[in-house]
Amino acid sequence: MFSKTLTRLALVLALAIPALPAMAGSGGAEAIVTVTGAVSQPNRPPFDAFRDGFFAFHNVTFAKAHAFTRPELKALGMHEVTLHYPNWPAAITFRGPRLRDVLAAAGASGTTITTQALDGYAAAQPFAALQGDDVLLAIEADGQPLAIGGRGPTWLVFPPGTIPGQSAATDAGLAWAVFHIKIE
């Protein structure tokens, strides 16, 4: 009897283990940033007040959304930009996909991009201004993954003067700890 049970358990595990990544979604990795609003390539269900408790906490609801894991963001192509703003102690080298590639993967189009941080900070920018080669949704800084508790999971970065009217003296608009991008 014990041997039959052990054989069945082994068979169940042999069949289930390869399926675990698919059951977890996106290779078993967790989503770190979600693009909502005007997206034509959604890959997750609409907002659910219970399941999406953190979105609900921030009063974020959506009918369509595209969620990205860290591996999915890396697969969009990693690019590098080194930036230094006057209110930073030193230059930082960022790596991540270009924001335009993230938005293209979600099928996003609109006139405004609003990035929202874990603490609720939100910065709205013109869609057209954030399409450049040096506008990254960084997932690494100085060779280290951006982590929650630091400035991660993602950090929208761009050089001074990217946004019309942006002062070169401040990093205002460079939202860090970004978990949500809304397209309107």
Side-chain angles (χ1 to χ4, degrees):
M1 180 72 170
F2 179 74
S3 137
K4 271 187 172 180
T5 303
L6 193 56
T7 303
R8 284 185 189 155
L9 179 60
L11 181 59
V12 167
L13 287 174
L15 294 173
I17 288 174
L20 285 176
M23 293 183 334
S26 302
E30 300 296 325
I32 62 170
V33 68
T34 302
V35 180
T36 67
V39 297
S40 64
Q41 301 295 321
N43 70 347
R44 58 149 293 160
F47 171 79
D48 175 276
F50 181 76
R51 188 186 67 235
D52 297 319
F54 196 69
F55 286 115
F57 175 78
H58 285 287
N59 298 313
V60 173
T61 62
F62 48 86
K64 295 188 297 183
H66 191 111
F68 291 91
T69 64
R70 189 175 299 275
E72 288 169 336
L73 291 172
K74 283 185 175 183
L76 294 174
M78 295 290 281
H79 301 275
E80 190 171 285
V81 63
T82 300
L83 299 174
H84 185 242
Y85 280 83
N87 57 326
W88 293 3
I92 300 172
T93 300
F94 295 98
R95 291 190 69 227
R98 290 183 175 114
L99 179 63
R100 71 175 182 229
D101 296 335
V102 174
L103 299 178
S109 63
T111 58
T112 305
I113 297 171
T114 302
T115 50
Q116 187 172 13
L118 294 170
D119 67 357
Y121 171 82
Q125 324 275 2
F127 191 98
L130 296 178
Q131 301 304 305
D133 286 347
D134 49 5
V135 178
L136 303 183
L137 187 62
I139 58 175
E140 297 175 7
D142 289 334
Q144 298 298 311
L146 289 168
I148 293 173
R151 296 198 184 252
T154 67
W155 188 349
L156 176 65
V157 296
F158 46 81
T162 299
I163 304 298
Q166 175 192 12
S167 168
T170 179
D171 62 357
L174 276 73
W176 48 272
V178 173
F179 77 98
H180 173 230
I181 301 171
K182 182 179 181 181
I183 307 299
E184 297 178 283

